[in-house]
Amino acid sequence: DAGITQSPRHKVTETGTPVTLRCHQTENHRYMYWYRQDPGHGLRLIHYSYGVKDTDKGEVSDGYSVSRSKTEDFLLTLESATSSQTSVYFCAISEGATGMGPQHFGDGTRLSIL
Amino acid sequence: AQKVTQAQTEISVVEKEDVTLDCVYETRDTTYYLFWYKQPPSGELVFLIRRNSFDEQNEISGRYSWNFQKSTSSFNFTITASQVVDSAVYFCALSGSNTGNQFYFGTGTSLTVIP
């Protein structure tokens, strides 16, 4: 168990509303990631963090922002949700100091935007 | 560019058959890592194996084995004597030393083991 908790686990909201997903880890890992999983696309990286206040964009970052003010928490925000952002969102950590270690995932957040 | 291709979208086998899941990757990095993950119907993602680019030895873990061949840029996964509990979506992934520690996942292979 990598000690990763995602909240909420499920959320339904309306187009245009802001949404924040939280990822919390208990093992002081340096690297944290947000992915979305959609049928036919596998997992695609949204943003990742390599330390407090250090973040970078992934493959599908448009429409998303992130923040990491503490080592243990990595927040993903949809400023104005759109139906195309309906997806399952996974948070992950990477073992080790380099970010090249195996990634371990939270249980996912199922987000529906109507 | 980094890319992982899992050409097999869905596979069905009868229990106790052997099955191989294919993974082909593209990278310009000389140092990189390859991974396999399992996602059962319950939805969680489970890490199975990591292999670095300098280690081409095959790996065996119980009924699971992995064949890494740099010459063909492949990292294939074989399940021997498949069981119903092996039914899942399997993802291959790649991480390279020059890609800012990003992981690139294939689109997954959905394996169904029929009892």
Side-chain angles (χ1 to χ4, degrees):
Chain A
D1 184 3
I4 305 166
T5 305
Q6 291 185 229
S7 59
R9 293 293 316 280
H10 299 87
K11 187 172 182 68
V12 180
T13 190
E14 295 184 346
T15 300
T17 59
V19 177
T20 296
L21 308 182
R22 180 181 183 238
C23 179
H24 179 79
Q25 57 133 334
T26 60
E27 298 185 358
N28 209 36
H29 294 288
R30 179 184 176 192
Y31 284 84
M32 299 183 75
Y33 305 78
W34 276 107
Y35 292 89
R36 59 178 291 173
Q37 183 177 24
D38 304 288
H41 291 278
L43 288 113
R44 293 180 292 173
L45 181 66
I46 305 171
H47 283 279
Y48 69 100
S49 170
Y50 46 97
V52 173
K53 297 187 180 179
D54 292 323
T55 64
D56 206 348
K57 297 179 180 180
E59 178 188 2
V60 291
S61 59
D62 287 348
Y64 301 94
S65 63
V66 290
S67 66
R68 192 169 179 198
S69 58
K70 298 184 291 185
T71 298
E72 58 266 35
D73 289 326
F74 191 32
L75 304 180
L76 176 70
T77 297
L78 292 66
E79 301 289 349
S80 178
T82 68
S83 58
S84 64
Q85 294 175 311
T86 292
S87 186
V88 179
Y89 291 84
F90 285 96
C91 173
I93 60 90
S94 181
E95 291 182 14
T98 65
M100 303 287 277
Q103 291 193 351
H104 299 279
F105 291 81
D107 290 335
T109 295
R110 188 171 296 275
L111 178 62
S112 297
I113 300 165
L114 308 177
Chain B
Q2 312 278 72
K3 185 178 180 182
V4 175
T5 302
Q6 295 180 256
Q8 304 154 306
T9 305
E10 296 180 359
I11 300 176
S12 291
V13 298
V14 176
E15 198 170 22
K16 298 184 182 178
E17 289 183 345
D18 299 347
V19 58
T20 295
L21 309 182
D22 297 333
C23 173
V24 174
Y25 63 92
E26 296 175 29
T27 181
R28 292 180 180 175
D29 291 340
T30 54
T31 301
Y32 54 90
Y33 293 83
L34 295 161
F35 305 80
W36 276 96
Y37 287 84
K38 174 182 180 180
Q39 187 175 40
S42 51
E44 72 272 23
L45 285 150
V46 179
F47 164 71
L48 296 178
I49 190 172
R50 180 181 80 159
R51 175 63 80 223
N52 76 54
S53 52
F54 298 107
D55 182 2
E56 287 192 72
Q57 283 191 338
N58 291 336
E59 176 94 9
I60 297 175
S61 176
R63 295 184 297 105
Y64 293 173
S65 62
W66 291 268
N67 184 340
F68 176 31
Q69 291 193 343
K70 290 178 74 171
S71 61
T72 56
S73 296
S74 65
F75 186 43
N76 296 338
F77 173 28
T78 297
I79 301 174
T80 302
S82 60
Q83 299 177 1
V84 172
V85 294
D86 296 326
S87 295
V89 180
Y90 291 87
F91 292 97
C92 182
L94 165 70
S95 179
S97 57
N98 294 321
T99 57
N101 303 308
Q102 296 192 32
F103 274 54
Y104 295 85
F105 284 82
T107 51
T109 297
S110 177
L111 174 66
T112 300
V113 181
I114 303 165

